[in-house]
Amino acid sequence: MMRVGVFGLLGQGNLGNDGSLAALLDHLRRAHPDAVVDALCGGPEEVSGRYGIPARRLHWFRSETLPAKVLGKVADPLWIGRWVRRHDVVIVPGMGVLEATLPLRPWGFPYSLLLLGLTARLTGTKVALVNVGADVVRQRATRWVITRAARLAHYRSYRDEHSRQAMARMGVDVRADAVFPDLAFGLADPEPRPSSGAVGVGVMSFHGGNDDRARAGEINRAYLTTVKRFVRLLADEGRPVRLFTGDAADDEVVAEILADLPDVDVTAEPPASLTDLMRQMAEVDVVVATRYHNVLCALKTGKPAISLGYARKNDVLMEAMGLGEFALSAREPDFDRLVRRFRELLDRREELVAVLGERNRVTTERLAHQFAMMSESVVEGSRP
């Protein structure tokens, strides 16, 4: 009996992370129906309730007090090690686990990922980092922890070539590592809907990344001002607007937009999953979004999109799907440029829909190859 564990910041309100888990579980249930799967994750109750697998919390401590956190870091090696040794393979499904494009400390998830690798080596369990995201980490301590954790994995694949090259620049030998599309591309497509003329706007509680802590407030204000101006412009032109989110933290941005623009025609319904988000996106014509997986869902559903992005991964995704010229910056937003690109997006909508159709076909084929390779190298190779 194959024992497979999944590991990560899952069940905590981030739709992208949970979407990667859903795609992996779909594959395991089809290709390995005899496998026994459970999770060590951030939100075990959510994961168990939504996906029907046993789950335990990622960290030993429950309290948020400083003494409990310190004690937890000491106890976590035993806590994680006891869980790891009960498995033949542990899979980290997607997610940007090897990057610090959002604020991150080395003693947070990078430390947990390092413990996973160390305890797996001690117990003989294989660790697979499947289609993960990576970027060059400048903070020395965080970089050290992330690269050591990556080296301990038995199998690594990345969601884009940028991630693979980032790990190479940080000193990891990536010659045996593969590049495949994001796991979320493996989710089922929603039913198509007739054109409504609506514009989807994906918002984010964005304050910059690790390198922007001193400017976090300034970055957030500039971003929100631009998004609000854009929503107002759409409303003034008589275009219905649908707001999208990708994390529970984004709800506060939606609330602020609705409070500041009470007279505009805006629909905002928090999605429960990436599948739910794609169903919502099926009802709009074009999308302007910030979160990586908001952009991904728009492109996957064939919706021409502008990425008002916060990291290189947004730009790489847009380039891979044939819309690189529509990749803009959330860190230094340019309202006039956003409007110009939006006009162009509308003018070229039919052309871009055709481009996305072909890119999605190729992406689906490549992802199927990824799952087959993972099964052969990791799951079947670990069978007791």
Side-chain angles (χ1 to χ4, degrees):
M1 181 175 59
M2 172 62 56
R3 301 165 299 173
V4 178
V6 290
F7 183 94
L9 296 176
L10 307 164
Q12 294 182 271
N14 185 286
L15 300 187
N17 292 356
D18 292 353
S20 296
L21 171 63
L24 174 68
L25 292 177
D26 286 346
H27 167 72
L28 291 175
R29 286 163 178 161
R30 289 192 309 269
H32 308 282
D34 60 331
V36 176
V37 184
D38 71 324
L40 193 69
C41 57
E45 296 83 5
E46 174 69 17
V47 168
S48 291
R50 181 175 294 277
Y51 304 108
I53 61 173
R56 300 178 66 184
R57 65 185 186 275
L58 183 60
H59 301 294
W60 173 80
F61 69 85
R62 291 179 180 269
S63 172
E64 290 299 313
T65 64
L66 181 59
K69 286 185 176 182
V70 173
L71 180 59
K73 295 303 178 185
V74 175
D76 275 352
L78 293 176
W79 178 261
I80 293 175
R82 288 178 60 190
W83 179 82
V84 168
R85 72 183 183 187
R86 297 201 301 266
H87 298 84
D88 301 298
V89 58
V90 173
I91 299 174
V92 181
M95 305 178 285
V97 297
L98 303 178
E99 64 183 38
T101 52
L102 296 177
L104 182 70
R105 299 297 191 188
W107 55 82
F109 185 73
Y111 173 69
S112 300
L113 194 64
L114 178 61
L115 292 181
L116 168 65
L118 289 171
T119 55
R121 286 299 178 103
L122 291 173
T123 59
T125 301
K126 290 184 177 180
V127 171
L129 306 181
V130 180
N131 293 48
V132 297
D135 208 340
V136 174
V137 178
R138 294 184 176 85
Q139 294 75 25
R140 184 174 299 177
T142 305
R143 177 173 176 154
W144 187 92
V145 175
I146 283 177
T147 54
R148 266 54 182 186
R151 289 190 180 105
L152 290 168
H154 169 78
Y155 174 91
R156 293 186 300 267
S157 64
Y158 307 100
R159 64 188 176 197
D160 50 50
E161 181 61 27
H162 170 77
S163 296
R164 183 175 179 273
Q165 291 303 319
M167 295 307 294
R169 289 197 296 273
M170 291 191 292
V172 176
D173 184 355
V174 300
R175 287 175 294 178
D177 299 352
V179 175
F180 293 104
D182 192 284
L183 286 175
F185 278 108
L187 296 171
D189 291 323
E191 290 293 327
R193 299 289 180 87
S195 174
S196 66
V199 177
V201 179
V203 300
M204 179 179 178
S205 179
F206 177 59
H207 299 79
N210 259 11
D211 298 333
D212 304 311
R213 293 179 184 273
R215 302 176 52 232
E218 174 189 343
I219 288 173
N220 180 251
R221 286 190 296 273
Y223 169 72
L224 286 179
T225 298
T226 300
V227 171
K228 290 176 186 176
R229 286 184 67 190
F230 184 65
V231 172
R232 167 59 72 185
L233 172 70
L234 297 175
D236 289 345
E237 294 182 351
R239 303 181 190 276
V241 179
R242 182 151 198 163
L243 298 181
F244 300 128
T245 58
D247 191 286
D250 302 335
D251 292 345
E252 63 186 27
V253 180
V254 172
E256 183 173 338
I257 291 173
L258 295 178
D260 288 0
L261 305 173
D263 57 327
V264 301
D265 180 12
V266 175
T267 301
E269 179 184 348
S273 64
L274 282 193
T275 299
D276 191 26
L277 176 62
M278 287 190 287
R279 282 197 295 265
Q280 294 181 10
M281 287 187 171
E283 300 177 0
V284 306
D285 285 359
V286 296
V287 174
V288 176
T290 298
R291 278 201 182 272
Y292 173 83
H293 278 98
N294 270 203
V295 177
L296 185 152
C297 285
L299 301 176
K300 177 174 167 54
T301 54
K303 303 297 179 179
I306 292 174
S307 167
L308 192 60
Y310 60 94
R312 176 62 181 152
K313 62 184 176 183
N314 288 56
D315 302 343
V316 171
L317 173 63
M318 293 290 285
E319 292 163 5
M321 297 300 287
L323 276 73
E325 62 199 287
F326 295 98
L328 307 180
S329 171
R331 185 171 279 97
E332 298 177 350
D334 183 330
F335 177 76
D336 293 334
R337 188 181 181 204
L338 171 60
V339 173
R340 289 195 301 271
R341 282 288 185 260
F342 175 68
R343 306 286 189 220
E344 182 180 355
L345 195 74
L346 292 177
D347 291 341
R348 297 173 55 192
R349 180 173 177 272
E350 291 187 9
E351 168 203 342
L352 297 175
V353 167
V355 170
L356 290 174
E358 175 59 20
R359 296 299 174 99
N360 275 308
R361 183 189 65 79
V362 174
T363 296
T364 301
E365 293 176 355
R366 291 181 59 214
L367 192 57
H369 181 54
Q370 153 70 72
F371 280 133
M373 178 181 291
M374 183 197 72
S375 289
E376 179 180 356
S377 174
V378 181
V379 182
E380 293 297 334
S382 302
R383 187 174 293 278

